[in-house]
Amino acid sequence: MEVTRYSELNVSENIKKAVADLGFDEMTEVQWKTIPHMLEGKDVVVKSPTGTGKTFAFGIPLVEKTDPEATQPQFLILSPTRELAIQIHQEITKLTKYLPGVRSVVLYGGAPIQKQITALKKNPQIIVATPGRMLDHIHRHTVKLNAIQTVVLDEADEMLDMGFFQDVCKIMEQLPETKQFALFSATISREVMDLMWLYQREDAVEITVTPEKESEPKITQYALECSKLAKMDFLIKILRLYDYQRVMVFCNTKSGTEMIRRRLAEKKFSVEALSSDVNQKKRNQIMKQFKARELQVLVATDVAARGIDVSDVDVVFNFDVPQDNTVYLHRVGRTGRARKTGVSFLFYTEMERARVKEIIRYTKVKIIPVRFSKGGILEPIPEDQYPF
Ligand code: CDP
Ligand code: MG
């Protein structure tokens, strides 16, 4: 019998209590498959789709192993983006609710380094960091890594896609020879395999979680053909037609996010834009507002939105057709998380029909073509008139 409830895990009551406070009882598949191996100290490579609960799959064993008396960092978690790093740190902090001696710190670029140095002086055992800033701290000798027991690479595929391969290697070289290496990824790319080959021990455990039909988020996906100029009007029309409280709008360019933000703000929507042009302090503030439901619409580029887990997004708009097929899945995956239902819209021009076809072929998703009826509501296009 597999252990699938948190209450049955061989970890401290204080962690179980913290998880129970979050309302969770059953572990997700990736969690029950991974946690025992991580507790045992095995290297793991975990391939599991977005939204399956990977954070706790490594968070729980690390917190369990943390020595509250330790004054040197024991665990290092690397994340590709600042937003994800902050999110991981927040999740870890939730797990340590009843473990006052366990401290986590988050280190990322674009924020004052002095504050992070001060935080490091408080002897955290768990470090969550983006690779660039981590190296910066290593070079400044503001962080000690000789007691690191485990290094976790979260969203390894994204991290390597973003060109962090060398940085990751440089960091790995600073860590003790004997350590546990845990790699988490939605996909196992060529570069991910290279890292496994370089740094994993021979008895590493490979864990694969396939998207189960049942646990697949239920997302109703619509596509709406329109001219470039009509997109903005359609967006506003749909937002007014339906009562969406939490909205994410994706576009391909930074200038696009700003344009949409401005136009929606003019129409009195509560809206903010998230792109790499926005400074870190403002970004954190925007994320907080969005999570707290103080903000209705978040407009973002893909880079800015990577790894962000905001559950309960009611609707995702693909304001621009993504250039990459998997990006479509990532975007749409912002809604319908944790088995809730969601809606998405894909805006495309007549010229882009072939691209939409390609996305459908590649991702095997079902996209329903819709149009505005004469009465101004959305209606499905009859099958014999399908545009793609
Ligand atoms: O990292 P990954 O994309 O696999 O997922 P995550 O961000 O760790 O978790 C996705 C959502 O599942 C979060 O909102 C978790 O709080 C939630 N969740 C969980 O982690 N464990 C459960 N047993 C139930 C829900
Ligand atoms: Mg994750």
Side-chain angles (χ1 to χ4, degrees):
M1 262 301 279
E2 300 284 358
V3 166
T4 60
R5 283 175 192 282
Y6 295 105
S7 56
E8 299 165 287
L9 269 180
N10 193 14
V11 300
S12 88
E13 288 305 319
N14 285 330
I15 295 178
K16 293 179 187 177
K17 227 162 66 181
V19 176
D21 283 0
L22 298 171
F24 301 151
D25 172 28
E26 288 271 346
M27 282 187 265
T28 66
E29 183 180 349
V30 69
Q31 292 166 4
W32 64 255
K33 281 187 168 172
T34 308
I35 293 171
H37 294 296
M38 283 211 56
L39 285 172
E40 226 188 290
K42 286 265 172 63
D43 283 359
V44 294
V45 48
V46 183
K47 177 178 181 247
S48 189
T50 308
T52 50
K54 291 190 284 293
T55 318
F56 279 4
F58 59 80
I60 290 174
L62 296 194
V63 170
E64 168 66 15
K65 289 185 186 197
T66 304
D67 173 4
E69 312 270 287
T71 55
Q72 291 213 8
Q74 295 182 276
F75 305 106
L76 173 63
I77 301 162
L78 292 177
S79 143
T81 65
R82 304 155 185 189
E83 277 77 14
L84 182 61
I86 293 168
Q87 196 178 298
I88 296 168
H89 169 71
Q90 285 168 346
E91 295 288 303
I92 300 265
T93 307
K94 286 179 195 165
L95 290 174
T96 62
K97 184 172 173 190
Y98 300 107
L99 295 163
V102 179
R103 294 169 299 271
S104 149
V105 69
V106 59
L107 312 173
Y108 49 83
I113 200 154
Q114 200 50 47
K115 262 193 190 164
Q116 296 175 358
I117 294 173
T118 310
L120 283 165
K121 286 194 176 134
K122 293 184 180 143
N123 301 329
Q125 300 96 338
I126 303 174
I127 296 179
V128 187
T130 53
R133 183 53 66 99
M134 188 63 215
L135 275 177
D136 201 353
H137 280 283
I138 291 174
H139 293 143
R140 289 166 187 254
H141 303 287
T142 45
V143 62
K144 287 206 189 73
L145 297 174
N146 48 311
I148 293 287
Q149 296 170 19
T150 305
V151 55
V152 174
L153 244 62
D154 195 19
E155 307 238 358
D157 50 352
E158 295 276 4
M159 190 161 351
L160 300 176
D161 273 358
M162 289 168 78
F164 282 128
F165 191 92
Q166 292 304 334
D167 283 356
V168 170
C169 292
K170 280 185 204 152
I171 295 167
M172 291 299 284
E173 276 147 34
Q174 300 295 318
L175 304 177
E177 188 75 27
T178 317
K179 64 187 166 297
Q180 180 183 34
F181 182 36
L183 206 150
F184 290 77
S185 205
T187 57
I188 304 294
S189 62
R190 181 62 222 265
E191 281 184 303
V192 172
M193 285 195 275
D194 286 349
L195 269 194
M196 287 161 62
W197 184 80
L198 278 171
Y199 298 110
Q200 286 209 307
R201 291 173 287 187
E202 271 180 16
D203 62 346
V205 180
E206 289 187 27
I207 293 154
T208 304
V209 171
T210 44
E212 260 181 70
K213 270 282 164 292
E214 190 216 356
S215 68
E216 237 172 55
K218 294 166 195 66
I219 307 166
T220 312
Q221 303 173 41
Y222 299 113
L224 189 61
E225 191 168 298
C226 52
S227 73
K228 266 205 162 96
L229 284 173
K231 284 183 185 182
M232 203 57 223
D233 288 340
F234 277 15
L235 175 63
I236 291 168
K237 232 167 147 175
I238 294 171
L239 289 179
R240 286 193 173 145
L241 209 50
Y242 302 98
D243 187 28
Y244 297 126
Q245 295 305 308
R246 255 193 203 163
V247 180
M248 274 191 92
V249 180
F250 284 97
C251 55
N252 294 351
T253 62
K254 287 186 221 173
S255 55
T257 59
E258 187 40 38
M259 184 277 290
I260 298 168
R261 190 202 61 77
R262 206 179 53 238
R263 299 273 307 267
L264 286 179
E266 281 165 14
K267 299 285 181 197
K268 305 287 174 243
F269 285 95
S270 111
V271 57
E272 290 287 356
L274 206 64
S275 78
S276 48
D277 278 351
V278 180
N279 72 45
Q280 192 57 44
K281 200 167 154 219
K282 175 86 180 165
R283 281 212 228 179
N284 295 352
Q285 195 190 331
I286 292 173
M287 283 316 302
K288 220 163 131 190
Q289 283 181 314
F290 193 57
K291 285 191 178 182
R293 298 178 174 277
E294 290 159 13
L295 188 66
Q296 187 193 2
V297 186
L298 185 62
V299 190
T301 58
D302 296 297
V303 173
R306 258 181 199 159
I308 291 175
D309 171 47
V310 186
S311 43
D312 297 332
V313 175
D314 297 325
V315 62
V316 167
F317 287 90
N318 285 270
F319 196 85
D320 299 317
V321 178
Q323 271 136 21
D324 188 298
N325 297 328
T326 53
V327 167
Y328 177 79
L329 287 180
H330 277 290
R331 289 181 177 182
V332 170
R334 300 293 119 195
T335 182
R337 294 199 109 190
R339 298 187 193 186
K340 297 191 190 80
T341 56
V343 179
S344 74
F345 287 93
L346 173 64
F347 290 171
Y348 67 97
T349 62
E350 195 181 342
M351 295 273 286
E352 288 169 322
R353 280 182 183 180
R355 267 297 294 140
V356 177
K357 238 189 229 171
E358 223 171 78
I359 290 175
I360 294 171
R361 200 174 59 227
Y362 180 86
T363 61
K364 305 201 168 42
V365 293
K366 182 174 156 54
I367 300 185
I368 306 162
V370 290
R371 66 185 174 203
F372 273 103
S373 72
K374 291 217 172 63
I377 59 158
L378 281 173
E379 60 177 20
I381 294 176
E383 238 170 86
D384 58 321
Q385 294 169 37
Y386 264 28
F388 45 75

